[in-house]
């Protein structure tokens, strides 16, 4: 027995402890978003991963980042398990559990792959470079990978959204170069902290006050603190600018939160409640003097041609107040998830959802998975996405439309703002998940409002509906699982932030600088 204990202790040190540290730090990063919303942890939770990836004695190069990514994305996206139970759709209990777990595991591993890719690239490209060059490379790689990640079908848990909706000051960096400016700030501060710790570990316990490594560690720690403060000062400068709100730009908008649970939404009871609730809500808001009324995604869960025969359509014809109505639009033999502008004169415009939810709205690898999850589709026809270059004109000027999942893709809203969108209309369902999902969705829309310098009006089925100003302040937010009506005055804006004009210019710049500094280091080592 005495000979076994040292071997187990050594194994514990080399394998168990690093893995546990990676898991715990990943979980801490996951706690930055709803429901815990401990956003401040994001500024330290990445540092342990950085240390473990770069520490000379560390050999678990793939396991460590994979575990960290599982901890972060697994906790942050745990709300996806709320798709269970699906017995109301005819899916058996065990199959419902299987589908929920499959979705959770798939999106968690997808995020963990990004972290692992970053770690591998960091290990390869940061060899033989100085500390600050390594930090630059680490930031550039993370931003570059997140940028590529945003081009795919699964994109939600960017590091940037760990700060929303609470740290509005740092979120204003998004006006400079989008959400990846916030991501880069988080990675840079964590990187400097990690480098300080690595230098500290190599300083020697007996030479803390004298050794060069110890002094370098203190300088790096101070640099991380100064960078944290400097970034927040830049954000505060943008945050503190007053909003110019001329009376002629005012627009009084009404919101209807219909509160039709998914369990009844597609059945006769749900259809009756939807038609009655949205019709009565529209009439009430119209009588309050609103200029327009926004309804949630799929407020009328059937084809638009059928919606034209509902009492809601008749009420709009009678009152003449514009309504933005969520329904399904026909497109050949397929259908779209759409938002329609309806005026007293009839249909004015239409916007089709661009980013569809994998599995929920379309089936990836349909030939393989189609038979397993076909019941998730609300209609027998196939749902198709809208064109990415759509614009959404209204009687009050061009709007920026975001239907549910699209809120997570900054470029979708940036393009519309660049094309003249003056305010954001966000329509979502958000039903059938636990409360952290709608809270995270609200956080996404808060970021989009800041980045584009636009007012955002959010209408959801079961919560949280809300009003967000261009500085990200939530002026009103609804409750969960309640029928609510609200009217608020917003202001149309034509300003264009640096991000709206130029897009994410920072990531290519960082990648370019990283390449230059890496080549310079290689040349210096060859002399």
């Amino acid at each position: 027995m005495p000979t076994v204990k040292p071997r187990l202790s050594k194994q514990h040190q080399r394998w168990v402890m690093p893995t546990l540290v990676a898991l715990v730090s990943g979980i801490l990063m996951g706690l930055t978003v709803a429901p815990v919303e401990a956003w401040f942890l994001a500024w330290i939770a990445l540092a342990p991963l950085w240390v473990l990836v770069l520490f000379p004695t560390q050999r678990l190069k793939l396991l460590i980042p994979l575990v960290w990514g599982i901890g972060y994305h697994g906790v942050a996206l745990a709300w996806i398990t709320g798709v269970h139970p699906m017995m109301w759709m005819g899916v058996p209990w065990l199959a419902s559990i299987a589908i929920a777990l499959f979705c959770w595991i798939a999106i968690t591993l997808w995020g963990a792959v990004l972290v692992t890719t970053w770690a591998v690239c960091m290990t390869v490209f940061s060899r033989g470079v100085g500390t600050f060059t390594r930090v630059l490379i680490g930031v550039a790689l993370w931003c570059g990978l997140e940028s590529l990640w945003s081009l795919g079908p699964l994109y939600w848990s960017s590091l940037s959204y760990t700060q929303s909706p609470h740290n509005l000051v740092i979120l204003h960096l998004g006006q400079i170069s989008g959400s990846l400016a916030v991501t880069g700030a988080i990675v840079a501060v964590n990187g400097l902290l990690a480098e300080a710790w690595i230098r500290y570990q190599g300083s020697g316990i007996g030479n803390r006050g004298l050794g060069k490594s110890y002094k370098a560690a203190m300088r790096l720690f101070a640099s991380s603190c100064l960078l944290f403060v400097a970034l927040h000062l830049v954000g505060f400068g943008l945050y503190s600018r007053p909003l110019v709100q001329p009376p002629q730009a005012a627009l009084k908008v009404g919101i209807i939160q219909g509160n039709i649970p998914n369990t009844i939404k597609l059945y006769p009871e749900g259809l009756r409640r939807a038609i009655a609730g949205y019709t009565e809500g529209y009439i009430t808001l119209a009588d309050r003097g609103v200029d327009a009324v926004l309804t949630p995604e799929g407020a009328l869960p059937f084809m638009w041609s059928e919606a034209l025969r509902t009492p809601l359509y008749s009420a709009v014809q009678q009152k003449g107040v514009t309504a933005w109505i969520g329904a399904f639009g026909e497109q050949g033999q397929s259908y779209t998830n759409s938002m329609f502008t309806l005026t007293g004169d009839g249909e004015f415009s239409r916007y089709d959802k661009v980013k569809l939810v994998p599995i929920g709205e379309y089936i990836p690898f349909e030939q393989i998975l189609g038979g397993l999850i076909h019941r998730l589709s609300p209609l027998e026809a196939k749902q198709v996405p809208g064109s990415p270059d759509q614009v959404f004109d209204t009687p009050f000027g061009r709007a920026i439309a975001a239907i549910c999942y699209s809120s997570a893709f900054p470029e979708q809203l940036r393009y519309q703002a660049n094309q003249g969108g003056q305010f954001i209309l966000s329509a979502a369902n958000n039903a059938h998940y636990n409360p952290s999902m709608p809270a995270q969705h609200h956080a996404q829309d808060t970021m989009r409002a800041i980045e584009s310098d636009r007012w955002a009006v959010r209408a959801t089925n079961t919560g949280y509906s809300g009003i967000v100003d261009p500085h990200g302040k939530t002026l009103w937010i609804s409750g969960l699982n309640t029928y609510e009506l609200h009217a608020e005055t917003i202001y149309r804006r034509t300003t264009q932030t640096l991000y709206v004009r130029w897009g994410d210019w920072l990531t290519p710049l960082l990648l370019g600088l990283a390449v230059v500094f890496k080549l310079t280091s290689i040349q210096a080592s060859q002399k």
Side-chain angles (χ1 to χ4, degrees), residues 396 435 485:
F396 315 102
L485 304 178

Side-chain angles (χ1 to χ4, degrees), residues 36-338:
V36 179
E37 298 182 329
W39 59 269
F40 46 87
L41 291 176
W43 298 95
I44 59 172
L46 185 63
L49 172 64
W50 190 294
V51 172
L52 291 170
V53 167
L54 295 181
F55 209 73
T57 60
Q58 184 52 248
R59 295 293 180 265
L60 305 172
K61 297 300 185 185
L62 293 180
L63 180 62
I64 291 297
L66 185 67
V67 169
W68 191 95
I70 289 172
Y72 171 44
H73 296 283
V75 171
L77 301 174
W79 51 261
I80 194 68
T81 57
V83 299
H84 172 78
M86 291 183 284
M87 284 79 79
W88 58 276
M89 298 182 72
V91 179
W93 191 87
L94 285 177
S96 177
I97 284 284
I99 292 173
L101 290 177
F102 170 80
C103 293
W104 185 31
I105 293 171
I107 61 176
T108 297
L109 290 179
W110 183 248
V113 166
L114 178 141
V115 180
T116 305
T117 304
W118 173 83
V120 172
C121 294
M122 187 68 173
T123 302
V124 173
F125 295 113
S126 65
R127 292 173 182 169
V129 300
T131 299
F132 286 100
T133 299
R134 186 160 54 241
V135 172
L136 172 62
I137 291 173
V139 174
L141 285 172
W142 198 292
C143 290
L145 288 170
E146 270 204 14
S147 181
L148 289 175
W149 195 28
S150 70
L151 300 177
L154 288 174
Y155 185 66
W156 185 271
S157 44
S158 163
L159 287 185
S160 58
Y161 97 132
T162 62
Q163 302 303 290
S164 186
H166 300 291
N167 192 357
L168 299 181
V169 168
I170 205 67
L171 290 179
H172 276 69
L173 296 182
Q175 293 187 347
I176 299 173
S177 187
S179 60
L180 289 182
V182 180
T183 291
I186 293 171
V187 177
V189 170
N190 275 274
L192 288 171
L193 283 175
E195 294 291 340
W197 176 257
I198 292 173
R199 288 294 186 94
Y200 176 79
Q201 287 293 95
S203 65
I205 295 179
N207 300 315
R208 289 184 180 178
L210 301 174
K212 293 182 179 180
S213 293
Y214 178 78
K215 293 179 180 178
M218 294 300 100
R219 286 195 296 270
L220 286 169
F221 177 75
S223 297
S224 69
C225 296
L226 288 173
L227 180 61
F228 177 83
V229 172
L231 291 169
H232 280 75
L233 287 175
V234 173
F236 181 76
L238 296 170
Y239 175 75
S240 59
R241 292 185 304 177
L243 296 176
V244 179
Q245 300 176 161
Q248 63 270 22
L251 182 66
K252 190 174 183 180
V253 179
I255 297 172
I256 306 175
Q257 181 170 292
N259 193 34
I260 315 295
N262 278 359
T263 52
I264 65 171
K265 186 175 183 179
L266 302 178
Y267 297 98
E269 179 187 356
L271 297 177
R272 286 194 297 270
R273 280 181 54 177
I275 294 171
Y278 289 111
T279 302
E280 293 171 5
Y282 170 83
I283 293 173
T284 299
L285 289 168
D287 289 342
R288 291 183 188 175
V290 300
D291 299 307
V293 175
L294 177 65
T295 68
E297 171 192 24
L300 300 181
F302 39 76
M303 291 297 182
W304 182 242
S305 56
E306 299 178 45
L308 298 179
R309 297 193 293 269
T310 63
L312 177 56
Y313 178 83
S314 301
V316 175
Q317 300 302 297
Q318 179 184 359
K319 295 290 185 179
V321 173
T322 297
W324 291 296
I325 301 174
F328 296 121
E330 297 178 6
Q331 186 166 309
Q333 298 300 314
S334 302
Y335 73 97
T336 59
N337 186 343
S338 304

